[in-house]
Amino acid sequence: MMRLVTLLAALFSLLLALPALAQSPSATVESPDKALSVSVAIGPEARANYTVSRNGKPVIAPSLLGFQFTDGPQFARDLEITNVTRSSFDESWTQPWGEWRTIRNHYNEMRVRLREVNRLHRIIDVVFRVYDNGVGFRYEFPDQPNLKTANIAEELTQFSIAEPATAWWCPAFESNREEQLYNKTPIAEIGTAQTPLTLKTASGLYVAIHEAALVDYSGMNVAKVQGGLLKAVLTPSSSGPKVSRAAPFPTPWRVLLISPDAPGLYMANSLILNLNEPNKLGDVSWVKPMKYVGIWWGMHLDQQSWASGPKHGATTANVMKMIDFAAANGFKGVLVEGWNVGWDGDWFADGRTFSFTKPYPDYDIEKLTAYARSKGVVIIGHNETSANIAHYEDEMRGAFDLYQKLGITAVKTGYVADAGGVQWRAPDGSIRFEWHEGQVMARHHLPVVTEAAKRRIAIDAHEPIKDTGLRRTYPNWVSREGQRGMEYNAWGVPKNPPNWESELVFTRMLGGPFDFTPGVLSLKGRGDTDILSTIAKQLALYVVIYSPIQMAADLPENYAKYPAAFQFIKDVAVDWDDTRVLNGEIGEYVTIARKAKGSNDWFLGSVGDDTARSFDVSLDFLSSGEAYTAQIYRDGDDADYRTDKRHSIVIETRKVKKGDVLKIALAPGGGQAIRFKAGR
Amino acid sequence: MMRLVTLLAALFSLLLALPALAQSPSATVESPDKALSVSVAIGPEARANYTVSRNGKPVIAPSLLGFQFTDGPQFARDLEITNVTRSSFDESWTQPWGEWRTIRNHYNEMRVRLREVNRLHRIIDVVFRVYDNGVGFRYEFPDQPNLKTANIAEELTQFSIAEPATAWWCPAFESNREEQLYNKTPIAEIGTAQTPLTLKTASGLYVAIHEAALVDYSGMNVAKVQGGLLKAVLTPSSSGPKVSRAAPFPTPWRVLLISPDAPGLYMANSLILNLNEPNKLGDVSWVKPMKYVGIWWGMHLDQQSWASGPKHGATTANVMKMIDFAAANGFKGVLVEGWNVGWDGDWFADGRTFSFTKPYPDYDIEKLTAYARSKGVVIIGHNETSANIAHYEDEMRGAFDLYQKLGITAVKTGYVADAGGVQWRAPDGSIRFEWHEGQVMARHHLPVVTEAAKRRIAIDAHEPIKDTGLRRTYPNWVSREGQRGMEYNAWGVPKNPPNWESELVFTRMLGGPFDFTPGVLSLKGRGDTDILSTIAKQLALYVVIYSPIQMAADLPENYAKYPAAFQFIKDVAVDWDDTRVLNGEIGEYVTIARKAKGSNDWFLGSVGDDTARSFDVSLDFLSSGEAYTAQIYRDGDDADYRTDKRHSIVIETRKVKKGDVLKIALAPGGGQAIRFKAGR
């Protein structure tokens, strides 16, 4: 009952709001190239909505904005627009490391002040930044008497997709490590999805929904309401409000990457970096992109163990050999897992078993770090926390002090929380349990990164919070996991499918670097099981999957069996001046070319799916006037991931130059890697 | 990473669990007729799952059981079954009022004790009750050292639908009044749905998911994970845990109604009553099923107002006339809305404006209640709370005292929360905001009902928590709203569609009585807009939509225009000895026959959708040896809800007896109502 009164109240509000709208009749902002347009309006019940269109055609139909609070009425209706301001911005900035040396940050901004007509008169600003290839918007909570602290029950942001679309999505809240295969379904079959969530609309537009600068807020997931209507669902909290923040503060940016083709969608991901704050760490020349090897794959093969005992992997002898292998082959890092005590207890259920400073007796940490140093190699530390962040926050500073002293310049953190959840110590001293992507974890990761930065240590987080571009602000946060990497090819049921990486590029990789750990040239998992890849594809992954730290994951004895292919892994760069996506379709194939940092060399990686395909690639990206030798690692004509020809590879060289056209053929489950070496 | 260890841990758990399983090799229980079977097993990672099958064919594929907690690790894996007990139960019990005089409660029960293998060794029992037409199961938390209080972050119950299915579902969390049209989609297109959620599988099985006995717990919604996998999503709380309860306690019952046809699905809803506790109120003969009229529809038509002023509806003069109308036509109740002060303020945003004892000056409450009494009529009080339950809980006892003194024997409560949310006073004194179906509201409604019961007052809650059968335990909780009733035909955009009621019977009505307020014979909403119904259908609704209190919603002057049709409303019973669903398909048509309480008279209602249809109905339900006069109110041959023939009705009588076959024809948007009057 009473709906009549509702309608009357809404009508009344509308009447109040209209004069305000009339003061700003066109709450609209366009992208610099005028292709994208964003409008904000007050609709029925005086609710605020936004619309995104491209070349005049709706991409996001009117979609609501607002918040629910645990300690006050929702901010959702009876709103007026009291002020609209616009500005433009254009600058280019340089990445210390990355896919591009220079990134242009060029947008038009519109700031819309929303105010409640009645009673509390609360105010929230919505700020839109419209780029040529996407939109970022966020809420900003000003300091104000009736909203001193925002205790947010839910963010009411909607994404009403204007066209039918196919979606690539992973269910949210289905495991506490966010590592699952993508569903490819009509948009109406989305349940509740993690972001990035990628869509291809009926008219062929590519749209990804993600967020940027997830700082002191809860990670956003996207739930299907009905039909093509999606809405934000913040990650829950044990504390009631999903977010609790004192005003003034901004939310993370809600990001829409929009492109007429799949390659452009990947290229648009620099928008996420642009929406993050510039580097706050000052000189970060000590952050070194590198390739690394490690004591790791042997554990996943069950040939070695993290725990102590006869199979213990992290022994002084094993690591010395691995340092020698790294030095001999030009790898700058050696990851060692299972070096520290704690793996013998019930660590899986509670990371309190771990010491982050005390090595196992058969691991001579001082000797090894010194030996590594003598060989020009660094040890990459490993801190599995079992997501007991209460314990880790107690211990990490002391641990980082030790690592700095020893010259351990990078740490791989781990947050396995399958058994219980993220454990933290609440202000009242109680232990509480959370999701990986709630506000508690958003708050946890940054002190890890900044405490590490104080000691010139880089962080590579596994089972992490998702990547929202914070590497721009904290460039020592070099990489992370956050999806199914190579390890699933050791023991996963099922293993990563052949189209996995061509799907990742347009989904997970939109967020940022992925420590995928490619290069398993043996193509074997546990128990001699076959990995669903050709050997050439393993090489291509070093170009296709971006990370400034790239592992050569296989065992040294396996690399010894494939020296010719291994040469590419030794040669490939890890830091880039430029990146071009030459072609691609989501989950079918993708070809990426990257220019090595400070060099005229280019590298190309192309990966497909389970079918053979071939296409021409124009070498327009090469430097003009430069002669190149293309060192081509291609699938053999009989290569096939389903047969014993998965190791069939042809390695050949060709002289090429800018403008040449290269035919690329991919076997089923295949790939191709090319080094374009400049000079004669 | 570390998944290997996960798998090993799971394997280890399995090995530990297997001996326990071996002790109870067949954790299976069947329905009394052996058609339905439920099994519980320990699966991968030593997670517990249940399976439901019908005649050997899966209905629910293996679906997980478990909990997440805010203050401890999840109870989800590394579980063993330590004990299984079985029992049977068969009794018949009598309803004080209802669709059936007597209900048989016949089930086989299996109680499965789940225990964590490691560390905390927590225990949760799962209790299954398997009926011939459905399954109820709930968790029971025993008292135990490591789980003194369950602070539940989420219930991990899954419903993996074994077959493709069509779903009728309303999105959850999309408004705080749960009044929305149903989506009819493939199951994969469900987002997050309210319950009851109704499915029709590819093989033609009808399945509804709901719950029973929602007491001191959070209401369950059902989210689609992916494909046919659904999971429980409890209604959020402002407090962190969605549920906080000291052990020992049971959860509500998770209910699966299962039927090979749509009529059987509706008939199965008595299962929900069976899963509730017996009457706790003792003598409830003072709870009187009745038909009522009221000062109400005029407000929805915008001819009168709740607020004071020239249009004020609840004036002494208006109500006296309405009492006269009720008495003259045999209605036992007169609902009066807008009688109490508070409607002139900003009540919509905050129910603190309301007094529940102070009438408007132009409403002489003592005179009117006395006048009503003199006419054999009772006033039905109205308490709109705007969902400010802090205020209402402060006021309601005093209000009920007053009503008891005045002879107001029923109160319609209202919980409009559109503007802000449910407001309550937390233990720390702060005001907090909730959903209608969270634990706070589950805790609120019962004291309202029991405090009312102490004063022999019946409660009819609008914008309520959903109906889970608590009327069995508290028979003064006579009816509620919880979906789009007649009021949407006054001002709804859109109005209720022609197939609305044939959809409601198999969805919302599975939960329990609905104060739908039928009988608008004018077929007109606000501004002279047409209601999408024939006049005969308005009559049929009194049989089709069950409620022990049924309004004749239209204005007296409109009833004066249609005296012949009005006669059926005067004649129709509101309390029943028996109910039979004679035919039906969800959202297409349904025919229900009900036997008047303590009489040999039967009533029949049939409603369709927007197409004309006809079918034969066998009068097998009539008493044998009894002669009946069928007073038939059928659509005229030219009747059509889309034309000015929507009032076309034929009223005719026929002599009939048990076994006769009656042809029923429904016009587009039509219906048919029949009174079978026993005796010559």
Side-chain angles (χ1 to χ4, degrees):
Chain A
M1 57 128 307
M2 305 298 130
R3 183 59 176 255
L4 168 62
V5 182
T6 312
L7 295 175
L8 290 176
L11 188 63
F12 183 66
S13 305
L14 259 176
L15 290 173
L16 284 178
L18 282 174
L21 265 179
Q23 286 163 25
S24 55
S26 171
T28 293
V29 60
E30 290 182 332
S31 59
D33 69 357
K34 304 195 183 306
L36 292 182
S37 171
V38 174
S39 296
V40 176
I42 302 294
E45 295 178 335
R47 296 180 190 265
N49 65 68
Y50 74 99
T51 308
V52 178
S53 60
R54 184 172 179 279
N55 296 329
K57 192 175 160 187
V59 178
I60 303 293
S63 297
L64 296 177
L65 300 164
F67 287 91
Q68 274 181 293
F69 299 102
T70 61
D71 59 350
Q74 58 182 341
F75 182 94
R77 50 194 287 160
D78 303 329
L79 303 179
E80 60 178 343
I81 295 172
T82 61
N83 198 34
V84 177
T85 58
R86 291 178 185 77
S87 60
S88 292
F89 190 83
D90 190 3
E91 85 168 4
S92 290
W93 57 281
T94 302
Q95 295 205 85
W97 48 266
E99 309 96 309
W100 301 275
R101 176 184 288 269
T102 304
I103 291 179
R104 186 178 180 188
N105 188 8
H106 187 199
Y107 60 82
N108 292 327
E109 179 177 295
M110 177 170 74
R111 176 179 293 268
V112 178
R113 174 150 288 195
L114 299 174
R115 179 176 173 273
E116 285 179 312
V117 173
N118 305 319
R119 297 181 71 230
L120 296 178
H121 300 298
R122 293 172 297 183
I123 289 167
I124 299 178
D125 292 341
V126 195
V127 181
F128 290 86
R129 290 186 181 169
V130 187
Y131 293 79
D132 291 347
N133 53 11
V135 176
F137 65 96
R138 71 178 182 187
Y139 302 90
E140 296 185 15
F141 286 71
D143 189 18
Q144 55 192 303
N146 285 334
L147 190 49
K148 302 300 280 181
T149 296
N151 287 306
I152 298 173
E154 192 59 277
E155 183 179 313
L156 300 178
T157 308
Q158 293 181 340
F159 303 92
S160 179
I161 311 302
E163 276 191 273
T166 298
W168 285 260
W169 61 281
C170 282
F173 312 132
E174 283 315 295
S175 81
N176 210 341
R177 52 163 77 198
E178 285 74 55
E179 295 169 356
Q180 284 163 92
L181 296 173
Y182 286 90
N183 290 286
K184 178 187 175 185
T185 72
I187 193 167
E189 294 185 19
I190 294 174
T192 301
Q194 305 172 32
T195 77
L197 160 68
T198 302
L199 308 168
K200 181 180 179 181
T201 72
S203 72
L205 201 65
Y206 294 76
V207 179
I209 301 174
H210 192 42
E211 62 182 309
L214 171 50
V215 176
D216 200 2
Y217 200 83
S218 166
M220 179 182 79
N221 305 277
V222 175
K224 195 271 312 299
V225 178
Q226 54 197 6
L229 179 60
L230 308 175
K231 68 170 182 182
V233 172
L234 299 180
T235 302
S237 155
S238 72
S239 305
K242 291 179 170 184
V243 174
S244 188
R245 284 285 292 276
F249 74 94
T251 69
W253 294 94
R254 281 64 191 94
V255 174
L256 296 158
L257 306 180
I258 302 171
S259 168
D261 51 37
L265 192 71
Y266 180 82
M267 295 296 283
N269 79 46
S270 63
L271 191 160
I272 292 166
L273 291 172
N274 279 330
L275 290 169
N276 277 270
E277 296 292 311
N279 174 13
K280 290 186 174 172
L281 297 182
D283 171 32
V284 289
S285 58
W286 48 270
V287 178
K288 304 287 192 198
M290 64 177 163
K291 287 174 285 185
Y292 69 98
V293 293
I295 304 292
W296 181 76
W297 186 244
M299 278 88 111
H300 286 285
L301 294 179
D302 202 21
Q303 297 175 3
Q304 295 181 315
S305 67
W306 285 274
S308 64
K311 283 166 69 179
H312 187 217
T315 65
T316 304
N318 285 346
V319 175
M320 300 248 320
K321 272 192 286 184
M322 194 60 81
I323 291 169
D324 291 339
F325 176 75
N329 292 285
F331 297 106
K332 292 298 179 195
V334 174
L335 167 70
V336 185
E337 296 204 1
W339 66 274
N340 57 321
V341 300
W343 295 91
D344 301 299
D346 189 11
W347 68 269
F348 194 71
D350 188 344
R352 271 177 298 186
T353 60
F354 286 118
S355 165
F356 301 105
T357 53
K358 192 173 172 195
Y360 275 120
D362 57 352
Y363 183 80
D364 188 338
I365 191 168
E366 305 222 347
K367 177 179 172 184
L368 287 166
T369 48
Y371 185 68
R373 196 178 315 118
S374 76
K375 294 280 190 169
V377 170
V378 297
I379 300 285
I380 300 175
H382 179 237
N383 289 172
E384 175 56 52
T385 68
S386 290
N388 188 331
I389 66 170
H391 178 57
Y392 192 54
E393 290 177 3
D394 287 344
E395 302 289 321
M396 68 180 183
R397 289 168 187 80
F400 293 164
D401 284 344
L402 172 68
Y403 306 158
Q404 182 181 29
K405 197 183 76 182
L406 294 170
I408 294 171
T409 58
V411 171
K412 173 179 172 177
T413 55
Y415 293 90
V416 166
D418 302 42
V422 169
Q423 293 186 53
W424 68 296
R425 195 180 299 113
D428 67 2
S430 66
I431 292 294
R432 294 225 298 265
F433 286 73
E434 306 286 342
W435 291 97
H436 268 129
E437 304 204 325
Q439 188 181 17
V440 163
M441 278 307 259
R443 283 179 168 165
H444 165 77
H445 279 285
L446 281 189
V448 174
V449 166
T450 55
E451 290 296 321
K454 287 179 192 167
R455 294 147 179 104
R456 301 201 156 194
I457 294 170
I459 294 293
D460 167 27
H462 280 230
E463 302 85 29
I465 199 165
K466 64 182 161 184
D467 198 337
T468 58
L470 284 165
R471 60 182 160 132
R472 181 181 180 192
T473 315
Y474 306 100
N476 69 321
W477 199 348
V478 288
S479 197
R480 70 185 90 190
E481 196 182 42
Q483 242 307 352
R484 294 165 63 109
M486 181 63 71
E487 62 187 18
Y488 280 77
N489 288 331
W491 39 252
V493 181
K495 293 183 191 297
N496 296 331
N499 75 340
W500 182 234
E501 296 86 354
S502 57
E503 207 165 54
L504 280 180
V505 166
F506 302 107
T507 52
R508 159 67 182 83
M509 297 308 300
L510 299 175
F514 181 1
D515 185 26
F516 184 88
T517 70
V520 175
L521 301 189
S522 64
L523 302 177
K524 289 292 184 186
R526 282 182 68 192
D528 217 35
T529 52
D530 294 320
I531 294 176
L532 310 181
S533 166
T534 66
I535 190 170
K537 182 182 183 181
Q538 290 296 308
L539 305 181
L541 294 179
Y542 286 87
V543 186
V544 167
I545 304 287
Y546 173 66
S547 176
I549 59 165
Q550 284 279 32
M551 189 173 201
D554 210 348
L555 306 178
E557 55 264 40
N558 288 333
Y559 287 126
K561 292 179 195 163
Y562 304 101
F566 185 47
Q567 186 61 44
F568 182 84
I569 299 178
K570 292 196 280 186
D571 292 340
V572 68
V574 285
D575 196 16
W576 314 100
D577 277 340
D578 199 2
T579 286
R580 314 271 180 93
V581 182
L582 305 181
N583 62 27
E585 278 297 341
I586 306 170
E588 298 180 17
Y589 64 98
V590 61
T591 306
I592 299 182
R594 302 191 197 263
K595 180 171 173 294
K597 188 75 150 278
S599 157
N600 264 346
D601 288 4
W602 283 78
F603 291 82
L604 178 149
S606 184
V607 297
D609 55 13
D610 60 356
T611 59
R613 72 178 75 227
S614 68
F615 39 77
D616 290 333
V617 162
S618 170
L619 305 184
D620 291 337
F621 52 85
L622 296 175
S623 301
S624 63
E626 184 75 81
Y628 285 91
T629 302
Q631 299 170 359
I632 300 172
Y633 298 76
R634 66 171 173 85
D635 290 323
D637 294 341
D638 57 352
D640 191 323
Y641 80 100
R642 294 164 299 195
T643 72
D644 61 4
K645 298 300 182 187
R646 59 183 64 85
H647 279 99
S648 174
I649 187 169
V650 174
I651 303 172
E652 59 194 7
T653 59
R654 281 179 59 182
K655 298 292 181 188
V656 297
K657 63 179 188 308
K658 179 182 173 74
D660 285 357
V661 172
L662 208 62
K663 184 171 208 72
I664 289 186
L666 305 177
Q672 186 162 150
I674 307 177
R675 178 193 191 195
F676 295 96
K677 191 165 167 39
R680 298 187 189 266
Chain B
M1 55 128 309
M2 303 298 130
R3 181 61 177 255
L4 168 63
V5 182
T6 313
L7 295 176
L8 290 175
L11 187 63
F12 183 65
S13 305
L14 260 177
L15 289 172
L16 283 178
L18 280 174
L21 265 177
Q23 286 165 26
S24 54
S26 172
T28 294
V29 60
E30 289 182 334
S31 58
D33 69 358
K34 303 195 185 306
L36 292 181
S37 171
V38 174
S39 296
V40 176
I42 303 294
E45 297 177 333
R47 296 180 189 266
N49 65 68
Y50 74 99
T51 309
V52 179
S53 59
R54 184 171 180 279
N55 297 329
K57 192 176 161 189
V59 178
I60 303 293
S63 297
L64 296 177
L65 300 164
F67 288 90
Q68 274 181 293
F69 299 101
T70 60
D71 58 352
Q74 59 183 337
F75 183 93
R77 50 193 289 158
D78 304 330
L79 302 179
E80 61 179 344
I81 295 173
T82 61
N83 198 33
V84 177
T85 58
R86 292 179 184 75
S87 61
S88 293
F89 190 82
D90 190 3
E91 84 169 4
S92 291
W93 57 281
T94 301
Q95 297 204 85
W97 48 265
E99 309 95 309
W100 301 275
R101 174 184 290 269
T102 303
I103 292 178
R104 185 178 181 190
N105 187 8
H106 187 200
Y107 60 83
N108 292 327
E109 179 177 294
M110 177 170 72
R111 175 178 293 269
V112 178
R113 174 149 289 194
L114 299 175
R115 179 176 173 274
E116 285 178 311
V117 174
N118 305 317
R119 297 180 69 230
L120 297 177
H121 299 298
R122 292 173 297 184
I123 289 167
I124 299 177
D125 292 340
V126 194
V127 181
F128 290 85
R129 290 188 181 168
V130 187
Y131 293 80
D132 292 347
N133 53 9
V135 176
F137 65 97
R138 71 179 182 185
Y139 302 90
E140 296 185 15
F141 286 71
D143 189 18
Q144 54 193 303
N146 286 334
L147 189 50
K148 302 300 279 183
T149 295
N151 287 305
I152 299 173
E154 191 59 277
E155 183 179 313
L156 300 178
T157 308
Q158 292 181 340
F159 303 91
S160 178
I161 310 303
E163 274 191 273
T166 298
W168 286 259
W169 60 282
C170 281
F173 311 134
E174 284 314 295
S175 81
N176 212 339
R177 53 161 78 196
E178 286 75 54
E179 295 169 357
Q180 284 163 92
L181 295 173
Y182 286 90
N183 290 286
K184 178 187 176 186
T185 72
I187 192 168
E189 294 185 19
I190 294 173
T192 301
Q194 304 173 33
T195 77
L197 160 69
T198 301
L199 307 169
K200 181 180 179 183
T201 73
S203 72
L205 201 64
Y206 294 76
V207 179
I209 301 174
H210 192 42
E211 62 183 309
L214 171 50
V215 175
D216 200 0
Y217 200 83
S218 166
M220 180 182 76
N221 305 277
V222 175
K224 195 270 313 300
V225 179
Q226 54 197 6
L229 178 60
L230 308 175
K231 67 170 182 183
V233 172
L234 299 180
T235 302
S237 154
S238 73
S239 306
K242 290 179 170 183
V243 174
S244 189
R245 283 285 292 275
F249 73 94
T251 69
W253 294 94
R254 281 65 191 92
V255 175
L256 295 159
L257 307 181
I258 302 171
S259 168
D261 53 37
L265 193 70
Y266 180 82
M267 295 295 283
N269 81 46
S270 63
L271 192 160
I272 293 167
L273 292 173
N274 279 329
L275 290 169
N276 275 271
E277 296 292 311
N279 174 13
K280 290 186 174 174
L281 297 182
D283 172 30
V284 288
S285 59
W286 48 271
V287 178
K288 304 286 193 200
M290 64 176 162
K291 287 174 285 183
Y292 70 98
V293 293
I295 304 293
W296 180 76
W297 186 244
M299 278 88 113
H300 286 284
L301 294 179
D302 202 21
Q303 297 176 3
Q304 295 181 315
S305 67
W306 285 274
S308 63
K311 284 165 69 178
H312 187 216
T315 65
T316 304
N318 285 345
V319 175
M320 293 213 21
K321 272 192 285 184
M322 194 60 81
I323 291 168
D324 291 340
F325 176 74
N329 292 284
F331 298 107
K332 293 298 179 195
V334 174
L335 167 70
V336 185
E337 297 203 2
W339 67 273
N340 57 322
V341 299
W343 295 91
D344 301 299
D346 189 10
W347 68 268
F348 194 70
D350 188 346
R352 272 177 298 187
T353 60
F354 285 118
S355 165
F356 301 104
T357 52
K358 192 174 173 195
Y360 276 119
D362 56 352
Y363 184 79
D364 187 337
I365 191 168
E366 304 221 348
K367 176 177 174 183
L368 286 166
T369 48
Y371 185 68
R373 194 178 316 117
S374 77
K375 294 280 192 169
V377 169
V378 297
I379 300 286
I380 301 175
H382 180 236
N383 291 172
E384 175 56 52
T385 68
S386 289
N388 188 330
I389 66 170
H391 178 56
Y392 191 54
E393 289 177 4
D394 287 344
E395 302 288 320
M396 66 182 185
R397 289 169 187 80
F400 293 163
D401 285 343
L402 172 67
Y403 306 157
Q404 183 181 30
K405 196 183 75 182
L406 293 171
I408 293 172
T409 59
V411 171
K412 173 178 173 178
T413 55
Y415 293 90
V416 167
D418 302 43
V422 169
Q423 293 186 54
W424 68 295
R425 194 181 299 112
D428 67 2
S430 66
I431 292 295
R432 294 224 298 267
F433 286 73
E434 306 286 343
W435 291 98
H436 268 129
E437 303 204 326
Q439 188 181 16
V440 163
M441 279 306 261
R443 284 179 168 165
H444 165 76
H445 279 286
L446 281 189
V448 174
V449 167
T450 55
E451 289 296 322
K454 287 180 193 167
R455 292 143 178 108
R456 299 200 159 195
I457 293 170
I459 294 294
D460 167 26
H462 281 228
E463 303 83 29
I465 199 165
K466 64 182 162 185
D467 197 336
T468 59
L470 284 164
R471 61 181 159 134
R472 181 181 181 190
T473 314
Y474 306 100
N476 69 319
W477 199 348
V478 288
S479 196
R480 69 186 90 190
E481 195 181 42
Q483 243 309 352
R484 293 165 62 109
M486 181 62 74
E487 62 186 18
Y488 279 77
N489 288 332
W491 40 253
V493 181
K495 292 184 192 295
N496 296 331
N499 75 339
W500 182 234
E501 296 84 354
S502 57
E503 208 165 52
L504 279 180
V505 166
F506 301 107
T507 52
R508 158 67 182 84
M509 297 307 301
L510 299 175
F514 182 0
D515 185 27
F516 183 90
T517 69
V520 175
L521 301 189
S522 64
L523 302 176
K524 290 292 185 187
R526 282 183 68 193
D528 217 33
T529 54
D530 292 321
I531 293 176
L532 311 180
S533 167
T534 67
I535 190 170
K537 183 182 182 180
Q538 290 296 310
L539 307 181
L541 294 178
Y542 286 87
V543 186
V544 167
I545 304 285
Y546 173 66
S547 175
I549 60 166
Q550 285 278 33
M551 190 174 201
D554 210 347
L555 307 178
E557 56 263 42
N558 288 333
Y559 287 126
K561 293 179 194 163
Y562 305 100
F566 185 45
Q567 186 61 46
F568 182 84
I569 299 177
K570 292 196 280 187
D571 291 340
V572 67
V574 284
D575 196 15
W576 312 100
D577 276 338
D578 199 3
T579 286
R580 315 272 179 93
V581 182
L582 305 181
N583 62 26
E585 278 297 338
I586 306 170
E588 298 180 18
Y589 64 98
V590 61
T591 306
I592 300 182
R594 303 190 196 263
K595 181 172 174 295
K597 187 75 152 275
S599 156
N600 264 348
D601 286 4
W602 284 77
F603 290 82
L604 178 148
S606 184
V607 297
D609 54 13
D610 59 358
T611 60
R613 72 179 75 231
S614 68
F615 40 76
D616 289 334
V617 162
S618 170
L619 305 184
D620 290 338
F621 52 85
L622 296 175
S623 301
S624 61
E626 184 74 80
Y628 286 92
T629 303
Q631 300 170 359
I632 299 172
Y633 298 75
R634 66 171 173 86
D635 290 323
D637 294 340
D638 58 350
D640 191 323
Y641 80 100
R642 295 164 299 195
T643 72
D644 61 3
K645 298 298 182 188
R646 59 183 66 83
H647 280 100
S648 174
I649 187 169
V650 175
I651 302 171
E652 58 193 11
T653 59
R654 282 179 58 181
K655 299 290 182 191
V656 297
K657 62 179 190 310
K658 179 181 172 74
D660 285 356
V661 171
L662 208 62
K663 185 171 210 71
I664 289 187
L666 305 177
Q672 186 162 151
I674 307 176
R675 178 191 192 195
F676 295 98
K677 192 164 165 43
R680 299 187 188 268

